């Protein structure tokens, strides 16, 4: 019973390509997040999203866009991939009124060559 | 945005206590958290403390919060080799869904 799952686990692609990472949660949460963890393990929030509000970290390039087909899914689309996009991307979820319990997915390691 | 700082590395001997420290800048923080990340894995929530508390204990884990100094610590008693991981502190402000993570402390437990 995986709470927060991501696919793929590994993604290797060339510069300039467009790719997507999928995230699903079966916890019934109403808020989902995307984080980027760089090679130094620094973790930065990219987006938080519920059915009412999308909050974008202002440092995130507009090549990155979250897409939520329903409450249980928040996919990350990345256009025109660059070398600096190489990182581990984590999806997470929480309940809006209970944000002290945030659960993370296992991560997607993206390598751009 | 808010700054959350941690020392990057900590080494302890198996059986000793580990203390991981964290400082933050946002005085409106409501919850403060400790997460554990094992190699190649996602983040696992270990514990959290509400900002009106000073201390929280959960088995081998003790969290201390000094709100005046904006200092949070995680003490792991009887540290085991399985505790080797990166530990992140995080905080959430009073409003919104933002989580702000520290830089992570890599704990190495020496057998």
């Amino acid at each position: 019973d995986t709470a927060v799952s991501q696919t793929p686990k590994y993604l290797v692609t060339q510069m300039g390509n467009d790719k997507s990472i999928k995230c699903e949660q079966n916890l019934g949460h109403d808020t989902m997040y995307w984080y980027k963890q760089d090679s130094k393990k620094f973790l930065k929030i990219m987006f938080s999203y519920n059915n009412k509000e999308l909050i974008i970290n202002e440092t995130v390039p507009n090549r990155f866009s979250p897409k939520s087909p329903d409450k249980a899914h928040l996919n990350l689309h990345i256009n025109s991939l660059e070398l600096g996009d190489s990182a581990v991307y984590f999806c997470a979820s929480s309940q809006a009124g209970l944000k002290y319990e945030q659960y993370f997915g296992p991560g997607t390691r993206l390598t751009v060559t | 945005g808010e700054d959350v700082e941690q020392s990057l590395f900590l080494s302890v001997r198996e059986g000793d206590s580990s203390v991981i420290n964290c400082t933050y800048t946002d005085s409106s923080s409501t919850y403060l958290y400790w997460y554990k990340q094992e190699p190649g894995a996602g983040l696992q929530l270990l514990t959290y403390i509400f900002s009106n508390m000073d201390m929280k204990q959960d088995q081998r884990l003790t969290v201390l919060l000094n709100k005046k100094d904006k200092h949070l610590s995680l003490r792991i008693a009887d540290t085991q080799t399985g505790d080797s991981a990166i530990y992140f502190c995080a905080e959430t402000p009073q409003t919104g869904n933002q989580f702000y993570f520290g830089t992570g402390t890599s704990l190495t437990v020496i057998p």
Side-chain angles (χ1 to χ4, degrees), chain A residues 6-73:
Chain A
Q6 295 178 229
T7 53
K9 189 171 175 63
Y10 300 97
L11 181 56
V12 181
T13 188
Q14 291 184 325
M15 283 175 58
N17 285 347
D18 303 336
K19 290 293 179 185
S20 295
I21 305 172
K22 294 185 177 180
C23 178
E24 177 181 3
Q25 53 94 5
N26 63 6
L27 298 166
H29 288 164
D30 61 5
T31 305
M32 297 183 73
Y33 311 79
W34 276 105
Y35 290 84
K36 179 181 179 181
Q37 186 177 43
D38 63 22
S39 57
K40 295 181 179 178
K41 304 296 185 184
F42 296 147
L43 197 65
K44 291 289 186 184
I45 191 166
M46 300 176 71
F47 306 99
S48 69
Y49 181 79
N50 61 24
N51 57 2
K52 298 175 186 175
E53 189 177 22
L54 170 65
I55 300 175
I56 303 171
N57 185 320
E58 61 188 13
T59 66
V60 175
N62 58 14
R63 298 180 295 103
F64 291 79
S65 57
K67 297 280 194 297
S68 180
D70 55 56
K71 279 179 58 174
H73 296 83

Side-chain angles (χ1 to χ4, degrees), chain B residues 59-95:
Chain B
Q59 299 181 338
R60 292 190 298 121
L61 305 179
T62 303
V63 178
L64 295 178
L65 175 60
N66 182 327
K67 197 173 179 183
K68 174 175 171 289
D69 294 339
K70 300 191 183 77
H71 182 266
L72 182 74
S73 68
L74 174 69
R75 179 177 181 270
I76 306 173
D78 187 25
T79 313
Q80 303 297 305
T81 54
D83 295 325
S84 292
I86 300 176
Y87 291 81
F88 291 90
C89 66
E91 58 97 1
T92 50
Q94 195 161 13
T95 57

Side-chain angles (χ1 to χ4, degrees), chain B residues 3-109:
Chain B
D3 287 329
V4 184
E5 299 286 339
Q6 301 176 237
S7 53
L8 291 180
F9 302 100
L10 176 65
S11 291
V12 298
R13 293 206 173 273
E14 190 174 16
D16 289 350
S17 292
S18 307
V19 179
I20 303 171
N21 294 302
C22 172
T23 58
Y24 59 97
T25 58
D26 183 9
S27 58
S28 73
S29 298
T30 51
Y31 290 100
L32 297 115
Y33 312 79
W34 284 105
Y35 284 83
K36 176 183 181 183
Q37 185 180 29
E38 296 182 5
L43 278 73
Q44 173 195 357
L45 177 64
L46 287 178
T47 186
Y48 62 88
I49 188 168
F50 190 52
S51 57
N52 66 355
M53 299 168 64
D54 297 325
M55 185 182 86
K56 182 178 181 180
Q57 188 156 3
D58 184 1
Q59 299 181 338
R60 292 190 298 121
L61 305 179
T62 303
V63 178
L64 295 178
L65 175 60
N66 182 327
K67 197 173 179 183
K68 174 175 171 289
D69 294 339
K70 300 191 183 77
H71 182 266
L72 182 74
S73 68
L74 174 69
R75 179 177 181 270
I76 306 173
D78 187 25
T79 313
Q80 303 297 305
T81 54
D83 295 325
S84 292
I86 300 176
Y87 291 81
F88 291 90
C89 66
E91 58 97 1
T92 50
Q94 195 161 13
T95 57
N97 293 322
Q98 289 280 13
F99 278 74
Y100 297 98
F101 281 82
T103 47
T105 298
S106 178
L107 173 65
T108 301
V109 181

